Amino acid sequence: MASRISELVLGCRDPEALARFWCEVLDFVVLDREDGEMVEIGPREGFGGAQPTIILSRRDEPEPGKTRLHIDVNAVDRDQDDELERLLELGARPADIGQTGEEPWHVLADPEGNEFCLLRARLAAL
């Protein structure tokens, strides 16, 4: 038996605002809340399915150093360019981490500056 990822935890200043952003990006819903300190979001079927949930945990100060974990997303119902436009309209912004411009993905930052990548479609809609 092996382990699998069940949750990803992301420290942030405003869990509610970041939950709204990521729910729109991933078509997730809020699964749990704890008194303004934590919001857990995930697929509509809830915790324990094929996809991990994301826990957005309040942190007053950003943790020092570069974030070592980031999220990769895939568009499942549109092409990469259309999804890029949608993500930018939701509040994402381009992030420069030294890309050459030849990569088949886009590096973006969410509204709090957490980097994530928009990959070319590699997954089909479930």
Side-chain angles (χ1 to χ4, degrees):
M1 184 62 121
S3 295
R4 71 178 181 89
I5 296 171
S6 58
E7 304 105 6
L8 300 172
V9 180
L10 184 59
C12 59
R13 289 180 294 280
D14 188 345
E16 290 291 339
L18 222 49
R20 285 189 298 276
F21 174 81
W22 283 108
C23 280
E24 286 293 325
V25 169
L26 301 171
D27 191 32
F28 273 15
V29 296
V30 172
L31 301 173
D32 193 15
R33 281 188 170 90
E34 286 184 11
D35 198 24
E37 293 300 310
M38 180 280 295
V39 179
E40 183 175 13
I41 63 173
R44 295 177 188 284
E45 62 270 14
F47 179 82
Q51 296 184 71
T53 62
I54 299 174
I55 296 175
L56 302 156
S57 178
R58 181 177 305 283
R59 298 284 184 270
D60 292 330
E61 296 295 324
E63 294 180 23
K66 181 171 173 42
T67 304
R68 293 178 184 233
L69 175 71
H70 72 266
I71 297 171
D72 286 344
V73 299
N74 285 269
V76 294
D77 63 352
R78 64 195 65 150
D79 69 24
Q80 186 184 41
D81 291 336
D82 289 341
E83 183 66 354
L84 176 62
E85 183 177 325
R86 186 181 82 88
L87 296 177
L88 294 171
E89 287 172 4
L90 290 172
R93 61 188 184 279
D96 182 359
I97 60 166
Q99 308 90 294
T100 65
E102 299 298 317
E103 295 84 2
W105 62 82
H106 296 279
V107 181
L108 303 168
D110 71 17
E112 288 202 6
N114 301 297
E115 294 164 356
F116 68 101
C117 294
L118 170 61
L119 306 178
R120 281 198 190 138
R122 292 178 29 181
L123 300 172
L126 297 176

